[in-house]
Amino acid sequence: MGCVVPALAELAFHHLGLAVASPEAAFKYLASIGYTAGNSAFDPIQRVNLAMRHHPVMPDVEVIWPSDGPSPIDNLVQRTGSMIYHLCYACPNAELALESLAASGIEIVPVGSPAPAVLFGGRKVSFHHVAGFGLIEMLETGAPV
């Protein structure tokens, strides 16, 4: 296995994305295993409701549920009810990290354009489908993680 390029060395796991039709049962389960509430918001760009849950030793979980209008997760929650559907990574420069992944032979297809995320203080996020893996979200920090 070769050396990890600097853009990927700075890639850090950030959270799991859990899509739900309604958040109450997810909140109850997460609280029962020691998760605490973090930031929550309605994101008008993604058209979804969002709430972070934090745990001292387990991965953070972003709970995502539809709003009143159409949202990107509507079909997913209609089919499954609830499901972990994305992993999020934080990095200083998402474009550089994605270029490095693609250069290593990983097939990546963007899902929409990068946009500011209300839940993360306006930091830019983007979603990408990774062949053979699934959906990832890139949270751009602008500084080393």
Side-chain angles (χ1 to χ4, degrees), residues 115-137:
V118 173
L119 191 63
F120 303 119
R123 287 191 272 166
K124 196 166 45 169
V125 297
S126 57
F127 289 87
H128 309 270
H129 184 266
V130 176
F133 183 79
L135 191 66
I136 64 169
E137 177 182 19

Side-chain angles (χ1 to χ4, degrees), residues 28-106:
K28 184 177 180 178
Y29 169 73
L30 291 168
S32 76
I33 60 172
Y35 277 81
T36 57
N39 292 341
S40 61
F42 168 72
D43 190 322
I45 295 170
Q46 297 182 54
R47 300 175 316 280
V48 291
N49 295 295
L50 309 162
M52 288 301 295
R53 293 299 187 256
H54 305 287
H55 194 281
V57 296
M58 291 192 255
D60 284 351
V61 177
E62 178 185 27
V63 181
I64 303 112
W65 67 101
S67 65
D68 294 335
S71 79
I73 63 164
D74 290 346
N75 290 336
L76 183 65
V77 296
Q78 286 173 357
R79 284 193 317 267
T80 66
S82 62
M83 153 181 219
I84 297 287
Y85 78 103
H86 78 260
L87 299 183
C88 179
Y89 300 96
C91 62
N93 185 317
E95 187 176 335
L96 215 61
L98 292 163
E99 287 172 3
S100 296
L101 282 171
S104 70
I106 304 297

